Amino acid sequence: MARIRHVFSKRQQQLARVPQRITARVAIPIYPERPSIAQLPDEALRLILSYVDDIGLRTLATINSTLYEKTRYVQHHTVAIDLGQHRHALSLLDILERNRLQPAVRVIELSGGSYTQEDDEILVRLADLMSTMAGLRDLHWSCLGTFPHILRDRIPAQTRLHVSITGRGGTDDQVRERFMALVGNQNLFSLSVHLGLQVEFVCSEKMRALKEVLLSCPRLTRIPLLYVGPISTPPHGMGDGPLPGAPYCGLGFSGGEKPLPLEELGVTMYPWGREPTPHLVSIKAVYCAGYPEKGSEVDYWAEKFNWTQLRKLNDIPKDLALKIAPKLTLLKEVVLEEEYWDKSEFLEGIPTTLEVLSIPSWGHISNQPSPIIRHGAALRKLTIHRQESKNNPRIFLDDTDLVVLCQSLPYLTELILDIARDTKKNAWPYSSLDIIAKFPSLKVVELWFELSNRWAASQTPHLTVSAARELFNYLHQRSSNIQSLKLHSGIPGRTSHIFGDPSWELQNSVYFLCKVSICDGDAADGYVTVTCPQLSIEMNAELTRLSKLSSKERGPANNATELSVKVALEGPLTMEDWKAWGRLQDLHAYKAYRKENSVPQRLGRFVSNALRWK
């Protein structure tokens, strides 16, 4: 495992370098009489390269200067900038400018904490570069600060702006300012909102600003997430709810007011208002006082909003979903992850056939395939998956229902499924895998196996890198259409960290990506690659090397990165072994601290500083 630390430190050094520009030479075919990629137009070659994964692009870039230029162009279709990493962000902008890659950029993703005075340099340089990004299609802003004026004034007219606003990292006035900065924005295309509801009066001020945004932006047709509710405080659960008689603090649409016809909507938590009737006032019902309309707010939304343009529906309350179902004539994608209501009636009441469907479990459609197979003529992607919980066990499909889906979904190309091991034989569910291989059009499969929890014995057989390879070979031999298999064991939930430290579930969950390869270097492995996306490219190479050694030759895990490799190689640790490993890490950290703060070390630092400023 010592090699892992060397690879990790080497990777950090490489990130600090900015490569010089490599000028591409004109490609000349070796055999002019034969077809060659050198004869393809740039647009055609770039389109082909856009289907190659990152590892493949890195390999192609080393062949010659022409392919290097084309792959660099494709690699920068999406540019992610973290404002919290100032040096790395400036290096990335240097690369764009030095290699003249501005025309390649299609998507910019800005994230990180609240930008400071230091980050103004990043924003100024980015704004200057945006003027030459003729192909810029989308700009995503997920920072804690207000969307800056310098970007608002420079963003191209055709670019779609996607903003995510959260109540974290700012006062109530600052959050309200984030909304007001978007009022009347001509580029705003989608808006996601996550606000913690603490004081209803203060929240109503922010909601009025949000309402002004919804009514004033001429292109705003997508609201992927609207959460206005208790502040989540893991691991202790949710914050306190509203007090009896709490005043209304929602958007307050009234008198026929409504946003533009929405194309996407998701409402996971919201203070739905109700008309303050004498009865509701007498029992101190919440969100009545101050609600401006008759009846309920759910009814107002269902009746007044234009639902005929909605194409994607995320989680919304059951009452609203059932009321608007007959109006969803263009709906193509449904992602319902909330677990508190059955989805059968809604799915059967939609007047159109879906192309994408996601539900939390088989039990949320009454354990019947009919709500799904109703959409079989168009369904391309199906997800049946939810978070693992010891208090709410998963309900898995049996082989009989899986056969029905196989026969009824002829065009399904992607299947994401919670699946159980064969507990009777203590083996993988080969009978279910045989059925999955018979789906006629299936190309991508994603399977979630249970990890169990820290207090129970982990599920066997363990999902390891060798087991992942075996499962993919099993599926691919029975269906050559299946080109990709994603395998998970466990999914960290709200308690991913306990009092700041990673939990057992987090550090023992694994995820493998298995794909068909065309590289000669993978011939010895049957032209199959198995990687762990949680690890870097260099770490995956180390994982492959260690997988060919015995457990004794691999050595112990000396840090969290090495522990991830160990779990990928050998499966989850027992609770006792995991605790022992944690105590050993604490001991190493304590010894390092004592060494760093010993008298000779402190004296050496004092003398060094004194000489430096002499």
Side-chain angles (χ1 to χ4, degrees):
M1 293 271 183
R3 237 178 107 171
I4 295 179
R5 292 188 291 275
H6 170 71
V7 169
F8 188 71
S9 60
K10 183 179 179 183
R11 176 67 176 160
Q12 286 182 323
Q13 294 172 6
Q14 291 174 345
L15 289 176
R17 304 184 192 134
V18 178
Q20 298 298 318
R21 185 183 176 217
I22 298 177
T23 304
R25 294 180 295 178
V26 177
I28 301 175
I30 298 177
Y31 303 103
E33 68 279 2
R34 297 181 182 178
S36 170
I37 62 171
Q39 300 168 345
L40 291 175
D42 287 348
E43 293 76 10
L45 183 54
R46 289 168 182 166
L47 178 62
I48 294 172
L49 292 174
S50 66
Y51 291 95
V52 181
D53 59 22
D54 289 339
I55 297 177
L57 288 175
R58 286 171 180 258
T59 303
L60 290 170
T62 62
I63 295 176
N64 57 45
S65 60
T66 300
L67 284 176
Y68 175 85
E69 182 187 53
K70 300 298 185 294
T71 54
R72 295 290 280 175
Y73 193 97
V74 173
Q75 284 176 321
H76 288 84
H77 279 347
T78 298
V79 176
I81 299 176
D82 186 346
L83 295 181
Q85 298 182 9
H86 185 258
R87 180 182 298 178
H88 184 271
L90 289 177
S91 297
L92 182 56
L93 295 177
D94 284 338
I95 292 173
L96 287 174
E97 189 170 11
R98 180 177 290 109
N99 292 278
R100 302 174 186 173
L101 292 169
Q102 299 96 313
V105 179
R106 300 291 179 268
V107 180
I108 296 178
E109 299 173 350
L110 293 169
S111 62
S114 301
Y115 61 88
T116 60
Q117 188 74 25
E118 184 183 33
D119 299 306
D120 287 343
E121 181 182 359
I122 301 174
L123 297 175
V124 170
R125 289 197 58 190
L126 178 61
D128 291 338
L129 292 175
M130 281 173 53
S131 62
T132 57
M133 295 179 182
L136 183 61
R137 184 177 63 247
D138 296 284
L139 174 62
H140 295 261
W141 177 265
S142 301
C143 305
L144 296 181
T146 303
F147 186 67
H149 292 283
I150 189 169
L151 294 184
R152 185 194 64 186
D153 297 337
R154 301 284 188 89
I155 184 172
Q158 79 279 2
T159 301
R160 300 178 299 190
L161 176 62
H162 310 263
V163 177
S164 177
I165 293 181
T166 175
R168 295 185 297 109
T171 64
D172 293 319
D173 288 339
Q174 288 173 331
V175 174
R176 183 177 179 276
E177 182 182 339
R178 295 172 191 174
F179 286 119
M180 296 305 298
L182 298 174
V183 172
N185 191 291
Q186 302 295 306
N187 296 91
L188 188 61
F189 184 73
S190 76
L191 178 63
S192 297
V193 178
H194 192 290
L195 297 179
L197 183 58
Q198 291 178 302
V199 180
E200 286 77 9
F201 174 75
V202 176
C203 184
S204 63
E205 293 291 328
K206 292 180 283 189
M207 296 301 284
R208 276 195 285 270
L210 172 58
K211 176 183 176 181
E212 191 171 349
V213 173
L214 295 176
L215 294 177
S216 64
C217 296
R219 297 176 65 186
L220 180 55
T221 57
R222 294 180 180 268
I223 307 175
L225 172 66
L226 179 59
Y227 178 98
V228 183
I231 299 174
S232 179
T233 55
H236 305 291
M238 303 298 291
D240 294 332
L243 296 175
Y248 173 70
C249 55
L251 290 168
F253 290 113
S254 61
E257 291 177 325
K258 59 184 177 182
L260 292 174
L262 296 174
E263 296 180 6
E264 180 179 0
L265 177 66
V267 185
T268 57
M269 187 73 72
Y270 179 81
W272 296 101
R274 291 179 292 176
E275 179 185 357
T277 63
H279 171 68
L280 293 178
V281 172
S282 66
I283 62 174
K284 296 185 177 181
V286 298
Y287 308 142
C288 292
Y291 179 63
E293 272 289 339
K294 302 291 183 180
S296 70
E297 189 170 8
V298 169
D299 291 335
Y300 183 92
W301 283 35
E303 295 171 5
K304 301 297 184 181
F305 285 21
N306 184 344
W307 300 105
T308 59
Q309 301 301 310
L310 198 70
R311 296 179 180 273
K312 181 178 180 181
L313 181 65
N314 302 320
D315 281 308
I316 63 172
K318 176 182 179 180
D319 291 346
L320 181 60
L322 296 179
K323 290 177 184 295
I324 67 174
K327 304 177 182 180
L328 304 177
T329 54
L330 290 182
L331 190 65
K332 294 299 179 183
E333 185 172 352
V334 170
V335 180
L336 301 176
E337 298 178 349
E338 291 293 339
E339 303 181 16
Y340 60 85
W341 59 285
D342 189 285
K343 326 295 182 190
S344 302
E345 183 180 355
F346 171 74
L347 293 176
E348 292 176 343
I350 301 172
T352 185
T353 52
L354 300 175
E355 295 178 358
V356 178
L357 173 61
S358 176
I359 56 175
S361 79
W362 191 243
H364 286 84
I365 53 172
S366 305
N367 300 325
Q368 297 294 326
S370 55
I372 295 178
I373 63 178
R374 180 188 178 280
H375 303 276
L379 199 62
R380 299 295 189 272
K381 180 179 178 180
L382 173 63
T383 301
I384 306 177
H385 166 67
R386 70 172 177 82
Q387 181 177 304
E388 185 177 342
S389 171
K390 66 177 182 179
N391 299 320
N392 189 8
R394 292 174 176 171
I395 300 177
F396 300 101
L397 283 81
D398 58 31
D399 287 351
T400 303
D401 292 324
L402 195 55
V403 168
V404 174
L405 293 182
C406 178
Q407 297 171 344
S408 306
L409 306 178
Y411 306 111
L412 192 72
T413 59
E414 185 171 354
L415 176 64
I416 302 172
L417 189 65
D418 287 337
I419 192 169
R421 296 171 175 86
D422 188 338
T423 55
K424 294 181 180 179
K425 298 180 180 179
N426 195 29
W428 298 112
Y430 291 111
S431 60
S432 298
L433 296 178
D434 289 336
I435 300 170
I436 290 174
K438 293 178 181 178
F439 276 78
S441 303
L442 202 58
K443 296 181 179 179
V444 178
V445 179
E446 187 169 357
L447 302 177
W448 293 80
F449 293 98
E450 285 188 302
L451 175 65
S452 190
N453 61 77
R454 70 191 72 178
W455 309 117
S458 57
Q459 299 277 344
T460 56
H462 296 316
L463 182 60
T464 62
V465 64
S466 59
R469 185 178 300 276
E470 173 194 338
L471 291 172
F472 181 60
N473 286 332
Y474 187 90
L475 270 177
H476 188 63
Q477 287 169 5
R478 286 154 179 78
S479 175
S480 58
N481 287 336
I482 297 178
Q483 300 291 305
S484 174
L485 173 65
K486 300 176 184 178
L487 296 167
H488 304 259
S489 176
I491 173 173
R494 289 191 179 95
T495 57
S496 296
H497 290 76
I498 300 179
F499 303 110
D501 295 324
S503 67
W504 179 90
E505 290 82 2
L506 178 64
Q507 293 194 317
N508 286 275
S509 298
V510 290
Y511 164 30
F512 295 105
L513 174 59
C514 313
K515 298 178 68 176
V516 174
S517 173
I518 59 173
C519 298
D520 292 337
D522 297 318
D525 296 321
Y527 290 101
V528 170
T529 61
V530 180
T531 58
C532 184
Q534 298 164 311
L535 304 175
S536 66
I537 294 175
E538 294 82 3
M539 294 296 295
N540 271 291
E542 187 69 6
L543 175 64
T544 302
R545 186 187 72 84
L546 292 172
S547 65
K548 300 174 183 178
L549 304 178
S550 65
S551 58
K552 292 183 179 180
E553 294 176 304
R554 294 168 186 161
N558 295 306
N559 53 50
T561 304
E562 294 182 7
L563 180 63
S564 297
V565 174
K566 183 178 180 65
V567 172
L569 289 167
E570 303 173 7
L573 278 66
T574 63
M575 188 63 183
E576 293 74 17
D577 290 343
W578 179 72
K579 285 184 175 180
W581 178 84
R583 288 192 293 267
L584 186 60
Q585 300 310 300
D586 291 342
L587 179 61
H588 290 332
Y590 175 73
K591 288 182 177 180
Y593 173 80
R594 289 292 301 271
K595 182 179 180 179
E596 180 69 18
N597 291 277
S598 62
V599 173
Q601 291 286 343
R602 285 183 291 174
L603 181 60
R605 288 197 295 270
F606 174 77
V607 173
S608 176
N609 290 333
L611 292 175
R612 182 172 55 180
W613 297 108
K614 187 175 180 180

